[in-house]
Amino acid sequence: MEKILRDRKAILVFLFPALVVYLFTVLAPILWSMYYSFFSWDGISPMKYIGFDNYVRMLTHDKTFWKAFENNMVYVAIIVFMQVCLGLLVAMLLTTIHKGRELFKTLYFTPAIITSVAISQLFQSIFSFEPIGILNYVLQKFGLEVWTRPWLTDLKWALTAVSVPEGWRFIGLYMIILFTALISIPSDVEEAAHIDGASSWNLFFHIKFPMIKPVLMVTIIMATTGALKGFDIPYLLTNGGPGRATELLPTYMYKTAFSRLDYGYGSAMAVFIVIESLLAVAFIRKMMDEKS
């Protein structure tokens, strides 16, 4: 095995199939979308070349696009907070216990393997107003009737309501990743810090945080790019409504391309989402590098 790993030609032979799959499944669709974005096309009539008109229309005339973009930013903030911050908190708590640790890990990870349809139905029941759902029932029991509301149709709270299921779904996944990073820190480093009188707060921010920073950056990038592509649960729960309150860029792009049959304009949005994701990754890397 070591002999094979020293042979660069052998390594290239093993990497080539994966590279081919990557080019056909990731790069080719992006280039295809860029090509379509320069045309006006309904999928049936001949394509008409219009240059950058789709991009000009998207960036300067389409208010729904900017509303979806704004909603997407809020959606990303909620998702990243729930998946990374709460995932890290749970991971830290798990490092302090030994009995029952595997049970907790399994329970927290379980939502990650449930289908989007099942999760959507579950949270539709939780947020339901009539018949009364679990959330409104609990609020009533605690004397907080003023807080009860139709969460999925309330203009003010609908976006938060559709963000919570996606955030909750993958807390366990990020918890497992961060937990693995935390327990990989050598115990003698922590013991030395304790002997030097470091508090738990200082131990985390000056010892643990710098050591898990590369893993933390990967989780933030994964959560952010995943949220920027968020589609299934928001679409199943509210389909972008009420009005455009929960419209995200991926749901708006889907409706434009496949419901209104405006493939050229939908492709322009797809290209925007790709560029937006790349910029987000570059921004996160720059922020994390500056802090180091």
Side-chain angles (χ1 to χ4, degrees):
M1 188 66 183
E2 288 183 6
K3 188 178 177 182
I4 295 174
L5 290 176
R6 287 196 201 100
D7 188 346
R8 289 191 175 183
K9 288 183 180 176
I11 293 173
L12 288 174
V13 167
F14 282 111
L15 288 176
F16 185 71
L19 179 64
V20 172
V21 172
Y22 173 82
L23 290 175
F24 273 97
T25 59
V26 179
L27 195 59
I30 292 173
L31 294 176
W32 217 246
S33 294
M34 288 179 69
Y35 173 74
Y36 281 132
S37 68
F38 295 112
F39 290 86
S40 175
W41 187 41
D42 61 6
I44 301 172
S45 308
M47 294 192 296
K48 180 184 175 186
Y49 179 75
I50 57 172
F52 287 91
D53 284 3
N54 281 327
Y55 292 98
V56 173
R57 172 186 164 195
M58 179 177 71
L59 297 173
T60 60
H61 300 301
D62 192 345
K63 291 181 181 177
T64 304
F65 170 80
W66 287 111
K67 176 62 179 172
F69 177 77
E70 181 186 331
N71 289 343
N72 231 144
M73 293 300 104
V74 176
Y75 184 77
V76 168
I78 295 172
I79 298 288
V80 172
F81 172 77
M82 290 186 67
Q83 293 180 348
V84 179
C85 296
L86 296 184
L88 177 61
L89 178 64
V90 176
M92 289 174 62
L93 291 174
L94 282 180
T95 59
T96 63
I97 65 170
H98 295 284
K99 193 175 181 180
R101 179 189 285 178
E102 296 305 317
L103 175 64
F104 280 112
K105 284 164 64 178
T106 304
L107 290 175
Y108 278 111
F109 187 76
T110 300
I113 61 174
I114 301 175
T115 64
S116 302
V117 175
I119 288 178
S120 300
Q121 287 188 330
L122 172 67
F123 275 87
Q124 224 160 22
S125 303
I126 291 173
F127 291 135
S128 176
F129 186 72
E130 187 62 44
I132 188 166
I134 298 170
L135 179 57
N136 286 324
Y137 178 79
V138 170
L139 289 172
Q140 279 187 4
K141 286 296 177 187
F142 281 93
L144 299 170
E145 290 87 355
V146 69
W147 280 90
T148 60
R149 65 196 69 225
W151 297 93
L152 293 173
T153 55
D154 188 297
L155 285 172
K156 188 177 177 182
W157 289 97
L159 183 57
T160 304
V162 300
S163 306
V164 168
E166 184 69 19
W168 165 81
R169 183 184 189 183
F170 290 114
I171 287 177
L173 173 65
Y174 292 98
M175 177 270 295
I176 293 286
I177 296 172
L178 293 166
F179 174 77
T180 306
L182 286 169
I183 62 172
S184 67
I185 297 173
S187 58
D188 54 342
V189 174
E190 292 187 43
E191 289 169 8
H194 281 302
I195 292 171
D196 289 341
S199 64
S200 299
W201 187 260
N202 287 330
L203 178 64
F204 175 74
F205 276 100
H206 298 293
I207 305 291
K208 292 183 177 180
F209 182 76
M211 296 185 79
I212 67 167
K213 195 173 173 183
V215 177
L216 191 61
M217 182 172 70
V218 171
T219 58
I220 293 173
I221 288 173
M222 287 170 61
T224 303
T225 53
L228 287 172
K229 296 179 293 184
F231 174 79
D232 46 1
I233 290 179
Y235 186 78
L236 290 167
L237 279 176
T238 60
N239 193 16
R244 298 289 187 181
T246 62
E247 195 76 86
L248 304 178
L249 283 180
T251 59
Y252 185 46
M253 178 200 72
Y254 175 82
K255 291 175 187 173
T256 302
F258 300 105
S259 298
R260 301 212 306 261
L261 299 180
D262 194 347
Y263 289 108
Y265 193 46
S267 297
M269 288 187 206
V271 173
F272 180 88
I273 292 171
V274 172
I275 295 172
E276 175 189 50
S277 299
L278 293 175
L279 290 175
V281 172
F283 177 74
I284 293 166
R285 287 182 64 91
K286 188 173 183 347
M287 290 288 290
M288 298 294 276
D289 289 341
E290 281 181 356
K291 285 185 179 178
S292 64

